[in-house]
Amino acid sequence: MTCSGNRLSRRNMLTVGAVGGLGLSLANFFEMRSAQAEIKNYDFIQAKAQSVIHIYLPGGMAHQESFDPKPYSPIEYRGELNPIKTNTGDIFSETLPKLSQLADKLAVIRSMTHGEAAHERGTHNMFTGYRPSPALTFPSMGSVVSHEYGPRNNLPPYVCVPGVPNEYASNGYLSSSYAPFSLGSDPANGGFKVLDLNLPGDVNEARFARRRSALEAVNDYFVKKDKSDNVGAMNTFYDRAYSLISSPQAREAFNIDAEPAALRDEYGRNTAGQRMLMARRLVAAGVRFVTLTYGGWDMHDNITAGMKNQMPSLDQGLSALISDLDRQGLLASTLVLVSSEFGRTPKINQTAGRDHWPKVFSVMMAGGGIKGGMIYGASNSTASEPDSDPVGPEDLATTVYHQLGIVADKELMAPGDRPIEIVDGGKIIEPLIS
């Protein structure tokens, strides 16, 4: 099987451990971090993205009131909100005035589709690229990236802001060492601090150094007595933890208070804005994959009021994120992905809302080698199904992995030495690639 012309040597990776927990504290993240899989002799795709920021909108955001308005449909389909023109001449909903002026930097997929109308199953699709299976829990994209590439600049490779949003955002069948690192609190809160990042109040730098020396002496004894790889690996775990705690540069990555007040205002002093600003700080410092969540989009009732309430913060924060990444020269190497588990029903219901609709919905991408000013695929006139170029979760995941230089049909080992492809049957969405 090939991917973008690169042939993959099958079964050339390390067997990984059993299913683990949802999230890790700083301590057990590094204690449990197993040695990185050996790099075998297979071809790598040339990576265009060095990092991913996945902005997940839980509940199912309405495509009609965001990226795919239908102004010529009857009122019971188009809803009460009006379309606005983007700077590329296309249309978004009036809920996205700032983002509409950055459309030349965005790609919107208007033909996402799958068959899962339940929140949990739709969420599984969008985090893993797999349909749910009773036999196996699949790893999230962030955990796969953690498995394939490991830490950079003494920072965890995969971070969730503010915490792990659901069980499908975690490591699945991979070792729990590839689960995300959770901040433990919300950067939008006053006095924000990352759990476990600083030394306890009664431990100064000198005491910290003495503890490390004592631990090294104990470990050295056991390394000489027991030649197993596990003992040697534990030294590496603690070294990584010490590096993060003792490195001013690593700690500074989480210091959102270091940002200028004007920039924090640009993002918005709210949940969406400050989480996105934290995500930008983390990828700039070296984190490979950041997942953040914002809002609640399960709008069965009064969708007009709901969208007017939720969207301004998203529009402001997301526009600021893209503009900020671009100013700093990071947009070309950072793939921004905005997704939700499904869309909403074509027709407004009796309580002025929209219900679950997985048959067609929209996803936004930017940066990381994705073409700007791009609309890919289309829904039909009532936004009820794809009209052209349908895209499944496996295609989206395969495209994200491709941009990161990961061969999507590479096999990892699930429990029982079962070879499982990172993504099964997905295709790269070639027109999106710059």
Side-chain angles (χ1 to χ4, degrees):
M1 189 175 294
T2 61
C3 186
S4 189
N6 292 318
R7 183 166 295 278
L8 175 64
S9 298
R10 296 293 198 176
R11 298 177 176 85
N12 278 342
M13 59 289 302
L14 203 64
T15 300
V16 297
V19 174
L22 286 180
L24 304 175
S25 70
L26 178 62
N28 61 26
F29 175 87
F30 285 104
E31 286 178 11
M32 299 176 69
R33 185 92 173 111
S34 63
Q36 286 303 111
E38 298 176 15
I39 298 177
K40 301 294 185 177
N41 295 320
Y42 59 84
D43 294 331
F44 285 98
I45 302 167
Q46 182 63 44
K48 294 186 177 181
Q50 300 300 311
S51 304
V52 173
I53 298 173
H54 181 195
I55 299 165
Y56 191 71
L57 308 176
M61 185 181 71
H63 46 297
Q64 303 92 330
E65 278 79 17
S66 57
F67 293 108
D68 193 12
K70 298 296 180 182
Y72 304 113
S73 295
I75 183 66
E76 63 268 26
Y77 290 91
R78 71 174 182 263
E80 299 176 317
L81 298 175
N82 296 315
I84 55 174
K85 275 210 168 184
T86 71
N87 66 355
T88 60
D90 210 321
I91 58 170
F92 289 170
S93 171
E94 65 178 89
T95 58
L96 297 170
K98 294 179 181 293
L99 213 56
S100 69
Q101 297 310 302
L102 294 173
D104 59 311
K105 302 183 185 303
L106 314 178
V108 174
I109 301 172
R110 287 179 170 167
S111 53
M112 279 298 305
T113 183
H114 61 71
E116 305 291 351
H119 289 292
E120 295 80 6
R121 296 176 69 85
T123 299
H124 183 284
N125 285 353
M126 301 307 290
F127 272 87
T128 69
Y130 269 91
R131 266 76 172 172
S133 167
L136 195 62
T137 303
F138 295 94
S140 66
M141 289 187 284
S143 289
V144 170
V145 171
S146 176
H147 177 273
E148 292 300 290
Y149 286 132
R152 181 169 55 192
N153 298 345
N154 294 323
L155 286 163
Y158 176 27
V159 177
C160 283
V161 179
V164 184
N166 57 72
E167 61 185 300
Y168 311 117
S170 199
N171 52 289
Y173 63 72
L174 293 176
S175 164
S176 57
S177 57
Y178 302 111
F181 175 70
S182 174
L183 296 191
S185 63
D186 196 326
N189 295 338
F192 163 75
K193 287 186 178 179
V194 178
L195 184 68
D196 294 338
L197 187 59
N198 299 305
L199 294 173
D202 61 340
V203 179
N204 58 25
E205 295 291 341
R207 188 176 177 188
F208 176 68
R210 289 196 300 272
R211 286 184 177 184
R212 181 174 186 177
S213 295
L215 180 62
E216 286 173 348
V218 172
N219 284 346
D220 184 61
Y221 169 80
F222 282 106
V223 167
K224 291 176 180 176
K225 189 175 181 66
D226 184 347
K227 299 299 183 182
S228 71
D229 291 338
N230 290 339
V231 176
M234 190 58 69
N235 276 331
T236 304
F237 306 151
Y238 284 118
D239 283 343
R240 288 175 180 166
Y242 284 130
S243 296
L244 180 51
I245 293 173
S246 61
S247 166
Q249 294 83 4
R251 291 201 307 269
E252 185 64 16
F254 298 93
N255 182 17
I256 197 169
D257 290 331
E259 294 292 345
L263 185 62
R264 297 191 71 175
D265 291 340
E266 181 184 341
Y267 274 83
R269 301 274 185 158
N270 51 55
T271 301
Q274 297 308 293
R275 290 179 183 181
M276 291 186 201
L277 179 54
M278 175 58 75
R280 195 273 295 154
R281 285 189 67 81
L282 292 175
V283 298
V287 173
R288 298 184 186 277
F289 201 106
V290 178
T291 290
L292 70 89
T293 55
Y294 163 67
W297 304 86
D298 195 21
M299 298 178 184
H300 293 276
D301 306 314
N302 201 356
I303 194 167
T304 299
M307 295 297 280
K308 286 183 175 180
N309 178 59
Q310 295 273 344
M311 288 295 272
S313 294
L314 177 66
D315 183 49
Q316 178 180 0
L318 185 52
S319 300
L321 173 64
I322 292 166
S323 298
D324 193 15
L325 288 169
D326 198 27
R327 284 194 302 264
Q328 298 200 33
L330 294 170
L331 187 60
S333 60
T334 304
L335 196 162
V336 179
L337 171 65
V338 181
S339 74
S340 199
E341 60 259 48
F342 40 57
R344 312 303 295 185
T345 47
K347 196 172 183 179
I348 300 289
N349 64 24
Q350 292 182 343
T351 55
R354 297 185 191 267
D355 302 315
H356 302 178
W357 195 257
K359 289 184 179 180
V360 71
F361 57 107
S362 296
V363 162
M364 193 214 85
M365 305 175 80
I370 297 295
K371 285 181 184 176
M374 179 80 181
I375 301 292
Y376 183 81
S379 64
N380 63 7
S381 62
T382 56
S384 59
E385 62 183 0
D387 194 50
S388 64
D389 301 313
V391 174
E394 64 279 4
D395 303 321
L396 180 65
T398 295
T399 302
V400 170
Y401 287 131
H402 177 269
Q403 296 306 95
L404 288 164
I406 295 172
V407 181
D409 63 355
K410 174 184 175 180
E411 289 173 344
L412 306 182
M413 288 297 177
D417 291 342
R418 294 173 56 194
I420 305 291
E421 292 180 342
I422 293 175
V423 183
D424 182 14
K427 65 179 184 296
I428 301 165
I429 310 169
E430 296 283 0
L432 291 179
I433 309 304
S434 63

